[in-house]
Amino acid sequence: MRTEQQRGPGRLDEQPRTRWVDQKAFSRRRPDLRLGTRSHRLDSAGDPSGGRITVQHSVRTGTAGYSLLLNAPEELGRRAVGDALRDAVAELRAIDLTYGPNRPQSLVSRLRRGEISPESYPPLTDLVDRCAAMRAATDGWFDAWAVPGGFDPGGLLNGWAVERAAARLRAAGIHDYAVLSGADLTVRGHAAHGGPWRVAVHHPTDSRRAPLVLEMTAGAVGTSGVSGRQGHVVDPHTGEPAGQLVAATVVGPDLAVADAYATALYAAGPVGLSWFRADSAYQALFAHRRR
């Protein structure tokens, strides 16, 4: 089955394409990426198709780790590919420094203290607007303002950072890539073998189950709860830690939005499944009750 997903709250310049693959047919092909395991690992890039430059790079900022896989046209040249990679990594580091709510002098912290307004910096305006849009889209279950101390965009900040880094890659002429952070990812184009990115999404609580396999040429997977950490998502209506689900996974066009939906679904529990209609740009892959 192929789903042609429409533009949603995330503003992208490409139409996402995700194909659910028959597990038996997929068993003969190794996935490029695995999500939902403890390592959320990247498998070997394999042999690149002709005329391509493949790069795999991992980096850690103060709050998160990232892995970038690039499959660039050879005519770009290795120097240009290296420059694009450094630019994307610099964007990830800059967002951590500039917007991290745990950094006293970040723009988010200054906004919380009333020292600046959301309109002071265009990227900050975009971040606040996205949080407001997701609060409306989730009936208030994603609420960046319902936390101690005021505005905290943490539920979508990491996905927002990944998408902004990915935009740097596209601007440099690299349209075949995957960027991962923990159990979240965004992909575009094709993997080194020349086909769509093969993504194995493992069941968050039952390692004996076969993974759900996706072939993706554009799109994102956002998760909440897969790490097994409890109490990290708060019910915005009560202020208490959410406890109905053990994990939530959402697929869609934009990682910031998918991340926010996954966070909201984790908080809301089964009632949140009503957000994902058959024709929705975003779909819930996993939403498992806590036993």
Side-chain angles (χ1 to χ4, degrees), residues 99-191:
Y99 298 95
N102 295 325
R103 297 185 179 276
Q105 295 307 313
S106 74
L107 295 182
V108 168
S109 293
R110 294 178 62 196
L111 178 65
R112 288 163 66 124
R113 293 194 299 265
E115 298 172 3
I116 59 175
S117 71
E119 294 76 25
S120 300
Y121 303 89
L124 179 61
T125 303
D126 179 59
L127 182 60
V128 172
D129 286 348
R130 282 172 173 261
C131 288
M134 291 311 302
R135 181 170 59 181
T138 62
D139 304 316
W141 284 100
F142 178 90
D143 191 343
W145 290 267
V147 293
F151 178 69
D152 185 341
L156 64 69
L157 182 61
N158 205 44
W160 186 71
V162 167
E163 291 292 359
R164 287 180 64 86
R168 295 290 187 115
L169 296 175
R170 293 196 299 275
I174 299 175
H175 299 280
D176 302 281
Y177 60 79
V179 184
L180 294 85
S181 180
D184 301 333
L185 68 79
T186 188
V187 301
R188 292 293 182 278
H190 296 85

Side-chain angles (χ1 to χ4, degrees), residues 19 21-32 34 43 193 198 211 213 215:
R19 188 166 72 92
V21 180
D22 177 70
Q23 178 64 37
K24 293 180 180 178
F26 188 81
S27 63
R28 297 187 297 273
R29 292 177 286 176
R30 185 173 61 185
D32 305 299
R34 294 180 182 272
D43 281 6
H193 48 70
R198 300 192 290 255
V213 179
E215 284 189 344

Side-chain angles (χ1 to χ4, degrees), residues 158-286:
N158 205 44
W160 186 71
V162 167
E163 291 292 359
R164 287 180 64 86
R168 295 290 187 115
L169 296 175
R170 293 196 299 275
I174 299 175
H175 299 280
D176 302 281
Y177 60 79
V179 184
L180 294 85
S181 180
D184 301 333
L185 68 79
T186 188
V187 301
R188 292 293 182 278
H190 296 85
H193 48 70
W197 294 95
R198 300 192 290 255
V199 182
V201 185
H202 290 260
H203 191 280
T205 60
D206 188 353
S207 61
R208 296 170 298 178
R209 290 195 190 185
L212 174 64
V213 179
L214 310 175
E215 284 189 344
M216 305 178 71
T217 55
V221 179
T223 64
S224 185
V226 171
S227 66
R229 183 162 55 101
Q230 297 186 23
H232 68 296
V233 175
V234 173
D235 180 334
H237 303 295
T238 66
E240 298 297 323
Q244 293 193 66
L245 298 183
V246 68
T249 304
V250 174
V251 64
D254 181 277
L255 182 54
V257 178
D259 257 350
Y261 266 128
T263 300
L265 181 58
Y266 186 94
V271 69
L273 294 173
S274 63
W275 306 325
F276 308 103
R277 301 181 307 275
D279 60 346
S280 172
Y282 294 85
Q283 295 294 330
L285 297 186
F286 294 119

